């Protein structure tokens, strides 16, 4: 990759803005003392990735079980990957596979409704349940590091936008539980990160600030005439205005700061899901570049939308199938488990490629790799047959935060599926014989090791000690 960021005069940049530089520290330019400081100051990053519709989980007596089940065989550090997971074998010592985790408030929801709550743990399920969401894991960490980079977070998905309640196109939700729109167009993402906008930005920011001031004055005057219920609604609105104020003030601080210089010639930025493998690789590459340039330290990417609606369903064409979602419904057909597993194998391969790139990229002054300082969560909020339990999860990176890897942590018990079920006709009708661990326990653990002061998250009941 060709990078010409070194041509920027770092001292002049810092003197001109008074802000931390939104570029990596370069160990080759640092004094020995500075290198030691850089080692202590390596940024801690968080990336969260979601895929829909569960994973292949054939029963032990099924011929596909040995080769095409998603969960590894055996547990601890003595586990073995199946063919479905084989692309991750070279990264065995950098990852932890987890089973037996789920969000208690969503365990009775159908698996097609689950992307909304994957990072929040909120009660967003279907039926008569009223939809209400809360802050997502990534945005909780944004509270800690969001003001230290040009972009508080990078929110991406294959389908873009927000989608609908229980049909989300984003896994990121703000402090009020509102969906944060995701970007799906590689060129727009690249331009946002690395291409200077027009020179009218300062004027627009000034107008935005003026408009916000006017709105606050009008709102305070209006409040005196409202009922208590309407005052509460107005207060929620004013909270949104205050968040907009914060964003405007931050944008003003960065407006004159040079953007990182990135040569994007190696990227096909006009890609769509009609070229699914290259599209997925490009989306991962953009996250890598955003982390590499310290443009953000938080990223989410929803790889697919639940229920087989949208352009993300076309990703299966990378491995010769028409639609991804249908593979999860055809497992009783001859070769059905294998076909579903081949698609999951493709996702594992591209995710593994991204992990490998972080591992191969050193941090400055010999202080480990980007992967050592980047915590990654990859998974789905359903398992076989879109069951809202026993989420398939892979945790990677973060060794300099105390995470240890090279293990399969099986909290689901000894059931050969990796699940815990007994009786019934279909998995969602079966009797639970082993209760999952709250996934928010893992989230609380992640936040604490990332440096967040939070002691809990959502409905967590503790932390996970063996990761």
């Amino acid at each position: 990759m060709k990078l010409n960021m070194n041509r920027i005069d770092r001292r002049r940049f810092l003197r001109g803005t008074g802000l931390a530089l939104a570029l990596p520290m370069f160990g080759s330019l640092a004094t020995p003392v500075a290198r030691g400081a850089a080692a202590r100051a390596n940024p801690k990053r968080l990336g969260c990735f979601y895929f829909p519709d569960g994973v292949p989980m054939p029963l032990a007596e099924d011929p596909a079980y040995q080769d095409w089940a998603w969960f590894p065989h055996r547990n601890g550090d003595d586990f073995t990957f199946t063919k479905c997971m084989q692309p991750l074998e070279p990264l065995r010592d950098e990852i932890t596979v987890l089973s037996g985790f789920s969000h208690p408030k969503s365990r009775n929801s159908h698996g097609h409704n689950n992307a909304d709550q994957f990072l929040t743990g909120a009660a967003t399920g279907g039926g008569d349940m009223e939809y209400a969401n809360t802050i997502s894991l990534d945005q909780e960490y944004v509270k800690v590091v969001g003001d230290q980079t040009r972009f508080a977070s990078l929110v991406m998905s294959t389908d873009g936008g927000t989608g609908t309640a229980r049909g989300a196109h984003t896994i990121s939700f703000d402090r009020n539980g509102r969906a944060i729109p995701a970007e799906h167009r590689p060129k727009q993402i690249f331009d946002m990160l690395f291409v200077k906008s027009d020179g009218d930005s300062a004027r627009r920011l000034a107008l935005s600030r003026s408009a916000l001031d006017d709105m606050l004055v009008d709102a305070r005057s209006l409040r005196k005439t409202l009922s208590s219920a309407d005052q509460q609604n107005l207060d929620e609105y004013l909270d949104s205005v205050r968040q907009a104020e914060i964003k405007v003030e931050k944008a003003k601080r960065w407006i004159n700061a040079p953007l990182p210089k990135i040569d994007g010639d190696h990227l096909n930025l006009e890609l769509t899901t009609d070229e699914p493998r290259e599209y997925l690789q490009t989306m991962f590459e953009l996250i890598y570049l955003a982390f590499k340039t310290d443009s953000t330290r938080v990223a989410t990417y929803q790889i697919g939308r639940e229920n087989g609606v949208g352009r993300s369903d076309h990703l299966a064409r990378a491995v010769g199938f028409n639609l991804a979602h249908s593979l999860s419904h055809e497992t009783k057909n001859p070769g059905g488990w294998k076909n579903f597993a081949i698609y999951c194998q493709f996702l594992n391969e591209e995710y593994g490629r991204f992990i490998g790139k972080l591992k191969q990229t050193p941090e400055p002054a010999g202080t480990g790799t980007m992967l050592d300082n980047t915590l990654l969560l990859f998974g789905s909020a359903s398992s076989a047959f879109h069951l809202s339990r026993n989420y398939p999860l892979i945790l990677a990176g973060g060794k300099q935060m105390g995470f240890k890897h090279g293990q399969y942590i099986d909290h689901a018990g000894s059931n050969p599926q990796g699940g815990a079920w007994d009786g019934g006709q279909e998995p969602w009708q079966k009797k639970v014989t082993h209760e999952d661990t709250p996934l928010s326990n893992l989230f609380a653990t992640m936040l604490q090791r990332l440096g967040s002061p939070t002691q809990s998250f959502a409905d967590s009941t503790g932390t996970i000690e063996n990761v």
Side-chain angles (χ1 to χ4, degrees):
M1 181 183 304
K2 179 183 176 184
L3 304 177
N4 54 2
M5 293 180 290
N6 282 313
R7 296 180 184 175
I8 294 177
D9 182 335
R10 294 178 55 83
R11 290 172 297 175
R12 184 172 61 208
F13 177 81
L14 288 169
R15 191 167 57 243
T17 65
L19 296 174
L21 186 63
L23 293 175
M25 294 293 292
F26 299 106
S28 61
L29 301 180
T31 64
V33 172
R35 291 190 187 107
R40 292 190 298 273
N42 278 333
K44 295 179 179 179
R45 314 172 190 90
L46 172 66
C48 300
F49 307 87
Y50 184 81
F51 60 91
D53 301 333
V55 295
M57 291 174 60
L59 293 169
E61 59 268 24
D62 193 294
Y65 170 73
Q66 191 63 34
D67 287 341
W68 298 111
W70 192 91
F71 287 103
H73 299 306
R74 299 190 301 275
N75 57 24
D77 59 7
D78 188 39
F79 71 93
T80 58
F81 285 124
T82 66
K83 290 182 180 179
C84 178
M85 300 282 277
Q86 197 63 38
L88 297 173
E89 180 63 44
L91 297 161
R92 180 188 184 95
D93 294 336
E94 306 293 341
I95 66 176
T96 294
V97 182
L98 301 120
S99 66
F101 290 83
S102 62
H103 287 308
K105 293 178 182 177
S106 300
R107 287 173 183 162
N108 293 324
S109 303
H110 192 280
H112 283 325
N113 299 330
N114 280 346
D116 306 52
Q117 55 84 36
F118 180 59
L119 294 183
T120 70
T124 62
D128 296 330
M129 184 184 295
E130 181 179 353
Y131 184 91
N133 216 334
T134 56
I135 190 169
S136 54
L137 171 68
D138 59 305
Q139 296 304 305
E140 186 68 31
Y141 185 47
V142 163
K143 294 179 183 179
V144 179
V145 297
D147 62 346
Q148 299 175 30
T149 55
R150 185 185 296 271
F151 300 98
S153 65
L154 180 60
V155 178
M156 300 164 49
S157 75
T158 303
D159 293 283
T162 60
T164 61
R166 307 185 185 99
H169 290 185
T170 178
I171 54 174
S172 294
F173 293 81
D174 69 15
R175 56 190 288 177
N176 296 309
R178 288 190 289 262
I180 299 175
E183 182 55 72
H184 69 282
R185 298 162 295 182
K187 187 176 189 308
Q188 275 69 16
I189 297 169
F190 184 89
D191 288 352
M192 176 186 72
L193 292 171
F194 307 120
V195 177
K196 192 72 173 178
S197 60
D198 62 81
D200 204 28
S201 299
R203 185 184 67 84
R204 290 201 307 272
L205 278 175
L207 289 173
S208 296
R209 175 74 234 193
S210 176
L212 289 171
D213 288 342
D214 290 343
M215 278 192 288
L216 285 171
V217 171
D218 291 343
R220 291 183 185 119
S221 176
L222 176 64
R223 195 178 196 281
K224 301 174 184 178
T225 68
L226 299 178
S227 67
S228 58
D230 286 338
Q231 285 181 0
Q232 182 177 351
N233 290 333
L234 178 62
D235 288 342
E236 292 178 359
Y237 165 74
L238 290 177
D239 183 69
S240 299
V241 173
R242 281 189 286 271
Q243 294 307 307
E245 279 188 293
I246 293 171
K247 291 179 181 178
V248 168
E249 287 303 313
K250 180 179 178 181
K252 286 169 62 179
R253 295 201 307 268
W254 285 94
I255 191 168
N256 293 318
L259 285 163
K261 303 292 185 179
I262 296 291
D263 187 345
D265 289 347
H266 65 294
L267 297 173
N268 179 358
L269 297 174
E270 303 297 339
L271 281 168
T272 69
T273 50
D274 290 335
E275 301 159 282
R277 186 179 292 273
E278 190 178 357
Y279 176 86
L280 198 57
Q281 290 176 3
T282 299
M283 296 292 270
F284 278 125
E285 175 77 0
L286 289 167
I287 296 172
Y288 167 79
L289 291 174
F291 283 166
K292 172 68 175 174
T293 58
D294 204 25
S295 297
T296 190
R297 297 175 188 173
V298 185
T300 60
Y301 178 30
Q302 183 178 344
I303 294 172
R305 182 198 189 280
E306 245 116 24
N307 215 12
V309 179
R311 58 177 62 84
S312 58
D313 214 23
H314 298 171
L315 293 176
R317 296 173 187 179
V319 285
F321 303 110
N322 188 34
L323 299 173
H325 172 254
S326 61
L327 295 172
S328 66
H329 283 277
E330 297 170 356
T331 55
K332 293 183 179 180
N333 297 339
W337 284 120
K338 179 179 178 180
N339 293 343
F340 189 19
I342 287 173
Y343 174 66
C344 291
Q345 182 187 63
F346 156 65
L347 298 181
N348 290 332
E349 181 179 359
E350 296 308 328
Y351 180 55
R353 190 191 309 275
F354 171 70
I355 297 175
K357 191 154 192 174
L358 293 175
K359 181 180 179 180
Q360 294 162 11
T361 304
E363 296 281 26
T367 56
T369 69
M370 283 183 66
L371 184 61
D372 294 330
N373 296 293
T374 305
L375 185 57
L376 304 174
L377 177 70
F378 178 83
S380 183
S382 58
S383 50
F385 300 97
H386 316 317
L387 185 69
S388 300
R389 295 175 181 268
N390 192 25
Y391 300 169
L393 303 166
I394 302 173
L395 195 66
K399 284 186 174 179
Q400 290 200 359
M401 304 173 211
F403 286 91
K404 58 180 182 286
H405 294 301
Q407 56 181 335
Y408 169 33
I409 299 176
D410 180 12
H411 280 204
S414 59
N415 186 285
Q417 276 198 96
W421 309 98
D422 182 27
Q425 299 300 311
E426 297 289 350
W428 54 84
Q429 298 172 326
K430 294 184 178 182
K431 177 183 176 182
V432 178
T433 60
H434 177 90
E435 195 59 271
D436 287 349
T437 301
L439 180 55
S440 293
N441 288 7
L442 177 65
F443 290 177
T445 306
M446 294 168 65
L447 286 167
Q448 290 176 19
R449 297 196 197 175
L450 283 162
S452 170
T454 183
Q455 295 301 306
S456 62
F457 181 81
D459 52 5
S460 63
T461 58
T463 56
I464 307 299
E465 300 301 327
N466 53 346
V467 293

